[in-house]
Amino acid sequence: LGIFLLLCLFPRRSRRSVPQTLPHNADFAFSLYKKLSTHPEAKGKNIFFSPLSISMALSMLALGAKGNTHSQIFSTLGYSTLTPDQVNEGYEHLFHMLGHSQEAMQLEAGSALAVHEGFKPVDKFLKDAQHFYEGEAFTVDYSKPEVAVQEINKYIAKKTKDMITDMVKTLDPQTVMMLINYIYFRGKLEDPFEVSLTHEFDFYVNENTKVTVDMMERTDQFDFYHMEELEKQISRDHFKNWEEKLFVTLFKISAFISLQETLQEMGMVEAFSGAADFSGLIFNSHFCILIFSQVLHQAVLKVNEEGTEADAALIVELRLLSGWLSEIMVLNRPFLVFILDSSTRSILFMGKVNNPTE
């Protein structure tokens, strides 16, 4: 048996004009996936993340970035040919398009700024974050890290329907602001699997390891692809003709990723250093240097006979560096998984399942 690709799409919705950022978001998604999948620590591990959540959060932070810091953020996200207005208006449009739940689908996305008590970001940054990225703001006392951790985790749990409950473990007392982005998706299959047909089956993680999983079964016609070759060349062009829906393995996976190193490798260097220029976000930027200290992302995917539930949250921690504080086809090998929005072609979630029991 070969190694196969698992593809999953949202229920179809009417197509409307799409934001200019979407092709660039797709390119960033695959660039990030290739970086994550080739990291030595990722070998044999599940990979799952929301590229749209990451793009949204970093684009929102770019509102306050200037100079080379801004250029590096835009370059990493693939926005070099776009103006800031095009990017911001694109996300305003995208939030509007995504914010419509239907009977068979629930989709929620949003952002927040957890700001340290007494720290006042530039008014224009706060207004633009709210206008373009639906970014609400609330205050947190980071000088009491344990209390701040509880408050932020409580906020994330509420927005992700308790699928992500304990994302933040510790906080630097020097933190002055944390950006939170979340995407929640729950969709029912148009043609659910029969629960009575679900049975235990062997899943081959690799040549030497197999695990027992609950396997869903359906008689139908499906396209499939050998993954090893596809994974090397995968890009947004591959999605043009992918219209099949197929879920086979019953599973739940969760992935936690620290993105600092990966984003720096992709070109976003200044934001993590003393050269960072966030003068559009903070007053007195000549005396107080604001830098990224952590970029953490967690995503959860749950698939059963009725449908799919997926959630993602991203946090960017900012602190002051100075100054102030019909044939039988069995998918029993590692596979790729995508959740797309058919109206915007947004890649909301993507990843690779090496072991569905982890």
Side-chain angles (χ1 to χ4, degrees):
L1 291 175
I3 298 177
F4 300 93
L5 168 73
L6 174 63
L7 177 66
C8 118
L9 296 180
F10 276 13
R12 297 185 180 211
R13 297 188 292 178
S14 60
R15 301 214 176 203
R16 292 171 281 180
S17 60
V18 298
Q20 296 183 59
T21 54
L22 289 179
H24 306 277
N25 289 347
D27 289 337
F28 170 73
F30 291 112
S31 296
L32 181 57
Y33 173 80
K34 289 173 183 177
K35 277 286 185 183
L36 295 173
S37 63
T38 55
H39 196 280
E41 294 181 359
K43 188 174 181 179
K45 302 292 185 181
N46 295 327
I47 300 170
F48 189 62
F49 64 99
S50 171
L52 188 59
S53 175
I54 296 168
S55 295
M56 281 180 177
L58 295 177
S59 299
M60 179 172 160
L61 277 176
L63 290 170
K66 302 292 184 181
N68 201 40
T69 302
H70 184 277
S71 298
Q72 288 183 1
I73 294 175
F74 262 42
S75 177
T76 299
L77 294 175
Y79 298 155
S80 297
T81 61
L82 300 178
T83 66
D85 285 344
Q86 288 175 321
V87 171
N88 297 330
E89 290 169 4
Y91 277 105
E92 180 185 18
H93 184 191
L94 184 60
F95 271 108
H96 177 73
M97 294 180 73
L98 295 177
H100 297 282
S101 296
Q102 300 177 355
E103 182 179 350
M105 181 187 70
Q106 183 179 358
L107 176 61
E108 298 176 9
S111 302
L113 296 167
V115 183
H116 182 64
E117 293 179 358
F119 177 78
K120 184 171 175 56
V122 172
D123 287 340
K124 186 178 187 312
F125 171 79
L126 292 175
K127 289 179 180 178
D128 286 347
Q130 196 281 328
H131 179 78
F132 295 113
Y133 297 90
E134 300 189 3
E136 59 180 330
F138 61 95
T139 58
V140 176
D141 186 357
Y142 290 107
S143 67
K144 301 175 181 177
E146 293 182 359
V147 176
V149 164
Q150 291 178 355
E151 291 180 5
I152 291 171
N153 280 336
K154 183 178 180 181
Y155 179 88
I156 294 173
K158 179 181 178 181
K159 295 298 183 179
T160 61
K161 317 299 181 187
D162 289 324
M163 286 186 70
I164 300 176
T165 57
D166 148 4
M167 181 176 179
V168 182
K169 308 297 183 185
T170 61
L171 284 171
D172 188 332
Q174 298 296 317
T175 302
V176 293
M177 188 174 73
M178 181 172 285
L179 182 145
I180 303 166
N181 181 273
Y182 59 88
I183 293 180
Y184 173 79
F185 164 72
R186 184 172 185 174
K188 295 181 179 179
L189 288 172
E190 293 178 351
D191 185 12
F193 285 86
E194 290 288 341
V195 177
S196 61
L197 297 179
T198 298
H199 58 283
E200 290 189 348
F201 210 90
D202 287 337
F203 184 96
Y204 294 87
V205 176
N206 53 46
E207 293 180 358
N208 303 314
T209 306
K210 68 178 181 179
V211 295
T212 300
V213 299
D214 288 326
M215 189 73 74
M216 297 179 287
E217 182 180 328
R218 176 189 297 171
T219 301
D220 210 332
Q221 293 183 341
F222 299 101
D223 293 333
F224 68 94
Y225 308 81
H226 287 278
M227 189 178 71
E228 287 182 321
E229 287 302 315
L230 180 62
E231 194 173 15
K232 295 176 183 177
Q233 304 175 10
I234 195 167
S235 69
R236 62 183 164 97
D237 294 332
H238 288 92
F239 284 96
K240 292 179 180 178
N241 299 312
W242 286 359
E243 295 293 343
E244 296 291 338
K245 297 186 186 73
L246 174 63
F247 298 85
V248 177
T249 309
L250 188 71
F251 67 95
K252 177 180 178 180
I253 61 170
S254 176
F256 184 88
I257 308 169
S258 177
L259 290 170
Q260 295 96 290
E261 182 179 340
T262 301
L263 291 173
Q264 289 180 75
E265 290 175 354
M266 295 177 72
M268 198 181 300
V269 178
E270 273 200 5
F272 297 91
S273 74
D277 183 354
F278 287 103
S279 54
L281 191 158
I282 182 176
F283 294 106
N284 299 320
S285 58
H286 294 295
F287 303 99
C288 303
I289 301 173
L290 193 66
I291 65 169
F292 289 1
S293 55
Q294 288 192 95
V295 181
L296 304 176
H297 184 62
Q298 185 171 352
V300 179
L301 174 64
K302 184 164 56 176
V303 175
N304 60 26
E305 293 88 350
E306 294 182 354
T308 302
E309 189 172 18
D311 229 320
L314 180 119
I315 59 172
V316 180
E317 182 179 311
L318 295 100
R319 66 179 177 85
L320 289 174
L321 185 63
S322 61
W324 187 76
L325 289 175
S326 82
E327 292 179 359
I328 297 176
M329 181 173 68
V330 181
L331 297 193
N332 61 350
R333 296 290 191 275
F335 54 85
L336 299 178
V337 58
F338 299 85
I339 299 180
L340 312 179
D341 174 52
S342 61
S343 64
T344 66
R345 307 302 288 173
S346 294
I347 305 174
L348 296 192
F349 297 88
M350 68 181 293
K352 179 180 180 181
V353 178
N354 281 292
N355 187 341
T357 65
E358 291 186 348

